[in-house]
């Protein structure tokens, strides 16, 4: 499965910039962005910089604020590459976590989920062995730490003075087999509105070819 080569985090108002250096050429670079927004909703973000070409993988903003995943492919190694996340509606807090993966072929299944209350949760089914499921979430209601579900890790977490929480979490390790249902969830808090965006980091597949068939010469029968 893929390996997390490097990870950086930055927070700010309206925009945040993280400096990423990678030890391996050709990493898949994934930006996890969560931001607050107005009570009227409709917040979105963009990711740029690092000399990379960024693509939006998934966005969840059905509840207030936004949770988004962006990705790009590095051609070589990166040295203090400035990667920037910016909110479309200015004046609100934003959190940016950037993870570089080696041994990753791309992005697989994604899933968007949100709810006005209840514990954050979403599930998807892997399509390839060695897939690693990551998620980004935001809580518009309170600044309170997440309690991740079983076999999961908080990758990063931040809060702001306005009473928002932003976090990234993942399974503890890549899922070895497929298809396998994978759930990302938190057991607390349970009373806040939330957005949650999941994405699958695919490993590099190898194809094993069968040896050529051995044929016997025609034998004459006397």
């Amino acid at each position: 499965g893929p390996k997390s080569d490097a990870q950086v985090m930055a927070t700010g108002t309206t925009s945040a910039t993280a400096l990423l250096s990678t030890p391996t050429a050709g990493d898949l670079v994934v930006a996890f962005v969560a931001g607050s927004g107005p009570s009227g909703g409709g917040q979105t973000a963009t990711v740029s910089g690092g000399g990379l070409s960024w693509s939006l993988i998934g966005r969840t903003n059905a509840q207030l604020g936004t949770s988004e995943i962006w990705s790009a492919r590095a051609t070589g190694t990166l040295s203090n590459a400035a990667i920037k996340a910016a909110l479309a509606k200015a004046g609100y807090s934003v959190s940016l976590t950037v993870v570089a993966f080696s041994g990753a072929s791309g992005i697989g299944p994604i899933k968007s989920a949100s709810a006005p209350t209840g514990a954050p949760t979403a599930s998807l089914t892997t399509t390839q062995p060695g897939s690693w499921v990551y998620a980004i979430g935001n809580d518009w209601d309170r600044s309170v730490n997440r309690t991740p579900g079983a076999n999961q890790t908080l990758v990063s977490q931040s809060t702001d003075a306005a009473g928002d929480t932003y976090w990234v979490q993942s399974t503890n390790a890549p899922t070895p087999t497929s298809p396998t249902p994978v759930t990302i969830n938190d057991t607390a808090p349970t009373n806040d509105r939330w957005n949650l965006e999941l994405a699958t980091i695919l490993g590099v597949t190898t194809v094993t070819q069968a040896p050529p068939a051995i044929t016997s010469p025609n034998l004459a029968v006397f």
Side-chain angles (χ1 to χ4, degrees), residues 167-220:
W167 74 97
V168 177
Q169 67 187 92
S170 71
T171 54
N172 288 342
T175 303
T177 60
S178 69
T180 301
V182 176
T183 297
I184 296 291
N185 71 301
D186 298 301
T187 59
T190 60
N191 298 318
D192 300 351
R193 73 191 86 187
W194 52 269
N195 292 309
L196 196 63
E197 185 71 24
L198 279 62
T200 308
I201 314 300
L202 299 176
V204 177
T205 58
T206 55
V207 178
T208 302
Q209 293 183 332
I214 298 174
T215 58
S216 300
N218 294 329
L219 298 178

Side-chain angles (χ1 to χ4, degrees), residues 57-80:
I57 300 303
R59 171 186 289 136
T60 307
N61 59 2
Q63 298 300 316
L64 298 180
T66 188
S67 291
E68 308 185 6
I69 301 176
W70 295 69
S71 76
R73 175 71 69 177
T75 55
T77 59
L78 301 177
S79 178
N80 288 324

Side-chain angles (χ1 to χ4, degrees), residues 22-210:
T22 60
T24 308
D27 276 357
L28 178 69
V29 184
V30 183
F32 301 90
V33 184
S36 186
S39 58
Q43 184 66 282
T44 62
T46 56
V47 173
S48 61
L52 305 175
S53 179
W54 292 93
S55 298
L56 175 65
I57 300 303
R59 171 186 289 136
T60 307
N61 59 2
Q63 298 300 316
L64 298 180
T66 188
S67 291
E68 308 185 6
I69 301 176
W70 295 69
S71 76
R73 175 71 69 177
T75 55
T77 59
L78 301 177
S79 178
N80 288 324
I83 297 169
K84 178 182 179 181
L87 296 177
K89 298 186 177 183
Y92 298 93
S93 296
V94 59
S95 176
L96 168 65
T97 299
V98 183
V99 184
F101 295 93
S102 61
S105 60
I107 304 293
I110 64 172
K111 182 63 178 290
S112 302
S114 60
T117 188
T121 183
S123 300
L124 55 75
T125 299
T126 63
T127 57
Q128 182 176 302
S131 298
W132 207 346
V133 180
Y134 271 66
I136 172 78
N138 77 283
D139 176 338
W140 195 83
D141 289 328
R142 288 191 298 159
S143 295
V144 58
N145 290 337
R146 307 293 103 175
T147 302
N151 302 313
Q152 296 167 66
T153 299
L154 273 175
V155 177
S156 65
Q157 185 168 233
S158 64
T159 59
D160 63 25
D164 299 83
T165 307
Y166 317 102
W167 74 97
V168 177
Q169 67 187 92
S170 71
T171 54
N172 288 342
T175 303
T177 60
S178 69
T180 301
V182 176
T183 297
I184 296 291
N185 71 301
D186 298 301
T187 59
T190 60
N191 298 318
D192 300 351
R193 73 191 86 187
W194 52 269
N195 292 309
L196 196 63
E197 185 71 24
L198 279 62
T200 308
I201 314 300
L202 299 176
V204 177
T205 58
T206 55
V207 178
T208 302
Q209 293 183 332

